Amino acid sequence: MNLASTPSAEATGSSWALVVAAVLVSGLLLAGPALRRRYPVAWWLLLGFPAAAFRVVRTWRALMAGCGLAVSRRPALTVVSGLVGNGAPPPLPRVPRPGLIRPTSGGFLLLVRLLPGQVPEDFVKAAPAMAEDWQVHAVRVTSWKPGAVRIIASAADPLAAPRVPKQRGPGHLLRVTVGALETGAAWVVDLRRVPHWLIVGATRSGKSTLINALVAGLAPQPVALIGIDCKGGMELSLYEPRLSALATNREQAVRLLAALVDLTLDRMTVCRAARVRNIWGLPDKERPVPVVVIVDEIAELFVVASRNEKDEARAAGTALIRLAQLGAALGVFLVVAGQRVGSDLGPGVTALRAQLGGRVCHRVADPGTAEMALGDLNPDALKAAQAITPEQAGTAVLASGDGWERARSHLITEAEAEAVAAEYAHLTPVLSELHVEAP
């Protein structure tokens, strides 16, 4: 009696499990649109990612063959297959072996082991076909280690409406979240890790918005902000309450930069006396305040129209190069911005560019500026920057020695920038070394 009822109970339990699963799946599908609007990450993990992973598995072999990434078996094996198998079809071609498909907040990634004779560039060329077959917004392929590549897929364009929370409080020293990366992760500018940056972009490309976001993040921190804006202070005067010094023409800029070099050399003497290699080795009470120098429209420092201006431009360029060479260990960091940056401005610009390890390139008006910003780091980054359209304001390509990524800065308006500068004006350090009198 009991034995007869056991299968029936198991069947009833299985039926209920199927019913519950069907109800859950139906509920998710019905609530999908609302869930996607209000909780996009949850929607992706519950519904979007499983469907995308299924498409990857289902199309993998055909995709690899269609993109020329499958490798045929050796001809000898084809002959043996025909003899032993009495005309059986030859073995299927070998395809690269994918690893585990892992979800991200807005896409997925997987590692792929290359077959003999393959190089990462083969997979880079196949990225558009992967995006089409997997029905995702974009696919990027990067080298992971010798013999393997990393494939990163974005389900939708995360730069269309980046979701980056505003920074609250001072956060980590010299570390600011300024926007979102194409992967969906936060775009963080960490001056301790990459101390000097070059930011280029045409009018209305998003360059000023990025500087607003950077200053808004640094303002609550115990750092000194220095402005050099040779267009009469039209841009950086917004932050004047929070600036320890501001130069609004080239003559003032030359004096201010010379004072900054002297400040750096004084810090070098302090570190040498304390037998430490940088200011971070000093005790907290003896450590000088970090200084972030923001130079807006670098071309105004280097364009010359007379012999006197030529001497000023050379002096400004030399001072900037010295600050870039010495400043990182001594707590002086550079953020250099401009609409146009090219070798035609003189050899000083090229020498300075070599010292600025972090690069951000928005839409630019001339290819020479993009080449100056990214060409020496990564040709693929240069192509991506040249593809930015006027409608993609705020979108940029950022590159460093670690690689490159597309990103979009968080919108900080001029009014918000002024409000932040006023709110944290009481934190502005007074650096008497920088108050130089006019000759």
Side-chain angles (χ1 to χ4, degrees):
M1 188 73 178
N2 291 336
L3 292 176
S5 63
T6 300
S8 176
E10 291 180 352
T12 302
S14 299
S15 300
W16 275 109
L18 290 174
V19 170
V20 170
V23 170
L24 289 175
V25 171
S26 301
L28 285 174
L29 292 175
L30 291 174
L35 185 66
R36 186 172 190 175
R37 285 193 306 270
R38 299 189 61 182
Y39 305 101
V41 175
W43 174 87
W44 170 248
L45 295 177
L46 290 173
L47 293 174
F49 170 70
F54 174 75
R55 286 193 292 269
V56 172
V57 174
R58 181 174 59 84
T59 64
W60 183 259
R61 178 173 287 277
L63 179 62
M64 294 296 102
C67 293
L69 296 174
V71 178
S72 299
R73 304 284 180 172
R74 288 181 299 174
L77 290 179
T78 303
V79 175
V80 171
S81 173
L83 293 175
V84 176
N86 295 324
L92 290 173
R94 296 173 61 196
V95 298
R97 188 175 64 187
L100 182 67
I101 305 172
R102 291 179 288 177
T104 63
S105 60
F108 59 88
L109 63 88
L110 68 154
L111 302 177
V112 179
R113 187 170 298 280
L114 307 184
L115 296 176
Q118 292 182 336
V119 293
E121 286 72 17
D122 298 333
F123 285 79
V124 172
K125 295 177 182 177
M130 296 179 191
E132 190 70 25
D133 279 17
W134 300 339
Q135 300 176 28
V136 295
H137 168 70
V139 170
R140 272 192 59 197
V141 180
T142 58
S143 297
W144 181 59
K145 67 178 184 179
V149 296
R150 181 170 58 179
I151 297 176
I152 304 173
S154 301
D157 186 1
L159 304 185
R163 295 172 174 266
V164 180
K166 293 184 179 180
Q167 184 167 315
R168 300 182 183 277
H172 296 284
L173 184 64
L174 297 169
R175 191 171 186 267
V176 179
T177 298
V178 296
L181 300 177
E182 190 175 33
T183 59
W187 174 11
V188 177
V189 173
D190 189 344
L191 295 176
R192 290 285 300 273
R193 189 175 66 85
V194 182
H196 307 309
W197 286 81
L198 174 64
I199 302 172
V200 299
T203 303
R204 296 187 175 277
S205 65
K207 174 173 61 68
S208 296
T209 299
L210 173 57
I211 294 176
N212 287 349
L214 183 60
V215 173
L218 290 172
Q221 301 186 20
V223 302
L225 301 177
I226 309 298
I228 296 177
D229 182 358
C230 292
K231 292 192 300 182
M234 292 174 58
E235 296 288 340
L236 299 187
S237 60
L238 292 173
Y239 324 120
E240 193 164 7
R242 184 59 181 84
L243 298 179
S244 297
L246 174 63
T248 58
N249 58 54
R250 183 158 50 193
E251 184 181 357
Q252 293 177 2
V254 170
R255 294 199 304 271
L256 180 54
L257 288 169
L260 283 165
V261 171
D262 291 339
L263 175 146
T264 303
L265 295 176
D266 290 342
R267 293 183 174 190
M268 185 184 298
T269 302
V270 171
C271 290
R272 187 167 59 247
R275 304 182 68 83
V276 296
R277 293 186 174 183
N278 53 58
I279 66 166
W280 312 110
L282 296 171
D284 292 346
K285 294 183 179 180
E286 299 177 17
R287 184 181 304 139
V289 62
V291 177
V292 180
V293 183
I294 302 170
V295 182
D296 191 61
E297 204 45 71
I298 184 66
E300 291 295 323
L301 276 178
F302 287 92
V303 171
V304 297
S306 66
R307 177 60 183 269
N308 184 49
E309 290 185 351
K310 185 176 182 180
D311 293 340
E312 284 184 344
R314 184 183 297 113
T318 301
L320 280 171
I321 292 170
R322 294 194 70 188
L323 289 174
Q325 290 174 336
L326 304 174
L330 301 169
V332 179
F333 308 92
L334 294 180
V335 178
V336 178
Q339 294 184 38
R340 185 179 66 85
V341 181
S343 57
D344 60 304
L345 296 177
V349 173
T350 304
L352 176 62
R353 186 275 305 264
Q355 301 293 330
L356 306 177
R359 314 283 176 79
V360 179
C361 184
H362 297 82
R363 178 183 57 83
V364 293
D366 64 296
T369 297
E371 178 71 32
M372 176 65 76
L374 303 172
D376 63 324
L377 290 181
N378 195 303
D380 292 335
L382 179 59
K383 294 177 183 177
Q386 291 172 333
I388 299 174
T389 65
E391 292 75 24
Q392 296 174 304
T395 300
V397 171
L398 56 118
S400 65
D402 298 332
W404 69 275
E405 298 196 67
R406 289 178 74 247
R408 186 176 182 182
S409 55
H410 186 48
L411 178 61
I412 301 290
T413 64
E414 293 182 357
E416 290 173 323
E418 286 185 298
V420 169
E423 180 181 358
Y424 296 104
H426 64 284
L427 297 179
T428 305
V430 177
L431 299 178
S432 56
E433 308 98 306
L434 303 185
H435 290 278
V436 266
E437 299 295 333

